[in-house]
Structure formats: C-alpha cells, structure tokens
C-alpha cells in the first residue's frame, strides 16, 4: 500500500490558521465540535491531514471565504 503524500509545513500552517480563526471568534474546541460534529481537537493537533471538504465546512462555519483563509498561508 502506498503512503499518502504529506506536506508537514503546509499542514502546520493550515492548523495554525484554523486555531487563529477559531480563537478570533471566541470559540472553544468544544463549541466547534458541538456545532459542526467535527473533532476539531484532532484536526488542530495536526496528526491527520484535513480534507478540502472539511476545510470548506469549517471556513463556512467561521464565515471565512477559502480565498481569505489561504491568503495568510505562505508555502515558500
């Protein structure tokens, strides 16, 4: 079985951005889990890659367009 590719730097930046957005909105991980049924603690731990669908759902929940979410992520 082939391992899934993983960009550790990008994953860390996405995780950091998710934490920042959640905290800016004054939400706890528990709030997000209750409202979205997503295990945000597991996502924010960075141990697992987040799917684009889940990221889009979180951006929608946080009322942040995907374009704005990624503006603060630098990959180079």
């Amino acid at each position: 079985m082939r391992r899934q590719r993983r960009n550790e730097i990008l994953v860390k930046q996405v995780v950091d951005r998710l934490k920042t957005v959640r905290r800016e909105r004054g939400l706890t991980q528990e709030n997000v889990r209750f409202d979205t049924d997503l295990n945000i603690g597991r996502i924010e731990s960075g141990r697992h890659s987040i799917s684009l669908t889940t990221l889009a759902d979180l951006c929608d929940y946080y009322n942040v367009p995907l374009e704005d979410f990624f503006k603060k992520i630098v990959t180079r």
Side-chain angles (χ1 to χ4, degrees), residues 17-76:
R17 181 79 174 112
L18 284 170
K19 288 178 188 177
T20 298
V21 171
R22 176 179 56 78
R23 290 174 181 154
E24 286 174 350
R25 280 145 183 78
L27 297 167
T28 65
Q29 288 181 347
E30 187 176 285
N31 297 139
V32 177
R33 176 135 192 188
F34 180 79
D35 292 343
T36 66
D37 202 33
L38 294 171
N39 188 338
I40 193 69
R42 191 178 113 183
I43 293 168
E44 288 183 0
S45 75
R47 290 186 304 244
H48 305 280
S49 294
I50 184 172
S51 73
L52 286 174
T53 301
T54 300
L55 180 59
D57 289 346
L58 285 168
C59 283
D60 186 50
Y61 173 73
Y62 294 138
N63 197 28
V64 174
L66 276 170
E67 310 84 60
D68 292 347
F69 180 86
F70 281 109
K71 280 182 183 174
K72 296 195 177 181
I73 293 179
V74 180
T75 57
R76 292 184 188 205

